[in-house]
Amino acid sequence: MTAAAERAPSADPWRRLMGSVYEAIILFGVLWFADYAFSALTQFRGHPGTLRTAFQLFTLAVLAIYFVGFWSAGRRSLPMKTMSLLLLTHDDAPVPPARALLRFAAATLLLVGALAAGYLLHGGLYALLLLPYAWTFVDRDRRALYVVIAGTRLVYMPVTPAMRSVDV
């Protein structure tokens, strides 16, 4: 078999979307507890000012730690395991932490850029929020835009019978 034939297939857009939705559900709980702890310790009540900026940076740091931790060194989050997804470099190696951080930064900048364009320029530009996902329909390897920027690939790794748990 050739190396290309042995490569895991890229994840299809539907599997990516379902993984993202599941990830959002998990992240709701993670951010709720982390942000509650921040608010309780600092008595932050949502008012504008330096504490609000610190809260936003804290939330971004929690997200960065979560994603970089689960994307690097071959680790996967629960939604990634459930949807049989694995993040790899182009040469099918585990993603190093620096590359995972680049992927997170690219995704964050695309998200913030779309939100800023919609808010500051025209409400119709909020449609740019769909651009990274829509890119999976035009890319020949079905990669999202931030995945292309980071030089990684999200693959479908089906569960083998040996990996399944025993029914009790």
Side-chain angles (χ1 to χ4, degrees):
M1 262 185 149
T2 65
E6 295 175 12
R7 290 186 77 171
S10 294
D12 60 273
W14 178 251
R15 187 169 298 276
R16 288 173 184 273
L17 179 63
M18 291 298 98
S20 296
V21 169
Y22 190 2
E23 200 77 68
I25 293 167
I26 299 291
L27 280 173
F28 175 81
V30 169
L31 288 178
W32 190 91
F33 282 108
D35 290 348
Y36 178 80
F38 180 92
S39 296
L41 292 173
T42 63
Q43 297 301 307
F44 173 62
R45 299 290 177 247
H47 303 293
T50 56
L51 197 55
R52 184 178 193 169
T53 302
F55 175 76
Q56 292 169 336
L57 291 174
F58 172 78
T59 302
L60 186 64
V62 168
L63 288 170
I65 290 167
Y66 177 87
F67 283 118
V68 171
F70 280 120
W71 288 341
S72 60
R75 292 183 293 267
R76 301 185 296 168
S77 64
L78 178 62
M80 290 174 74
K81 289 177 183 177
T82 303
M83 298 305 298
S84 300
L85 298 172
L86 179 63
L87 187 66
L88 300 171
T89 61
H90 282 300
D91 51 353
D92 290 344
V95 176
R99 179 82 50 101
L101 184 60
L102 174 62
R103 185 178 194 257
F104 176 78
T108 301
L109 289 175
L110 287 170
L111 173 70
V112 171
L115 290 173
Y119 181 77
L120 297 172
L121 300 175
H122 186 273
L125 292 175
Y126 283 118
L128 290 174
L129 289 168
L130 301 174
L131 180 63
Y133 178 71
W135 195 265
T136 63
F137 291 102
V138 297
D139 187 80
R140 70 176 182 87
D141 292 327
R142 296 182 283 186
R143 297 173 300 165
L145 189 54
Y146 51 86
V147 174
V148 173
I149 292 169
T152 59
R153 64 189 212 104
L154 190 64
V155 299
Y156 172 61
M157 296 293 291
V159 178
T160 62
M163 293 172 57
R164 293 193 178 144
S165 62
V166 178
D167 292 330
V168 180

